[in-house]
Amino acid sequence: MGITDRKEREKQEMRKLIISAAMEMFIKEGFDRTSIRNIADKIEYSPATIYLYYKDKDELLYEVQGQAFLELYNAFVRDVTAIDPMERLEQLFHSYVNFGFEHPDLYDLMFILRSPMNAVDEGNDWPNCEEAYKFLTDTLESCIDQLRYENAQIAALTIWALGHGLISLFIRERIKVMQLPDDQIRNVITATVNEQLRLIKK
C-alpha cells in the first residue's frame, strides 16, 4: 500500500471514529450537549483535529444524520419481508413509526432539527434520505392499483406526512393534549396507522 492510499485509509478511519462518537453522544446526551469540543474529548483528540474534517457542528451532524438514515433503511429491509405488495406497505408503514418510537433522538435529527440541513447547499438534493424514500416509493408503485391514489409520489407524501406527524407529536410530547395514559399512546398511534391503511385501500 502506497503512502497516498494509507493516508486516505487513515482519513476514513478518523471520520468513522468521529461519526461514531458523535452519534453515541447525540443519542445519550441530546443536541445541545453534542459539541465539537465534547466529541473531541470523547475520542481524545483536540477540537482542531475534528475541524480538519468538518467545518462546523452542522456539517458533522449531517454526517451523523446520514448514518441514522442508513439505520432506518436497514430497518425497512429487516421488517418488510412479505411478498404481497399491500402487506409490504403495511409492514413498511409500521416499521417507520416503530423506528420513531425506538429512536426518538435519531428521528429528531433526521426529520425535525434544522441544524444538519444547514449543511445542504440551497438547491441541492438531500442524498441522506434518498435510499429510504425510494424504498417507500418502490413499495407504493408495486401496489398503487390497490390504493385510492393514481400517483405513487402523492401517495408517498401522504403516507410519510401522516407517519411523520404522529411520531413528531409523540417525540415533542404534543400528543399529551389527548390526555391518554403513557402506556396507551403507542397503541393509539398504531391504531391510527392501521385506520389510514384501511382508508387508502380501494
Side-chain angles (χ1 to χ4, degrees), residues 123-140:
N124 284 2
D125 294 332
W126 182 27
N128 280 353
C129 187
E130 285 179 359
E131 202 168 23
Y133 184 69
K134 187 175 186 303
F135 199 110
L136 172 61
T137 54
D138 286 350
T139 302
L140 282 164

Side-chain angles (χ1 to χ4, degrees), residues 137-150:
T137 54
D138 286 350
T139 302
L140 282 164
E141 285 172 359
S142 69
C143 63
I144 195 71
D145 60 332
Q146 301 178 57
L147 301 174
R148 296 178 183 272
Y149 296 99
E150 295 182 358

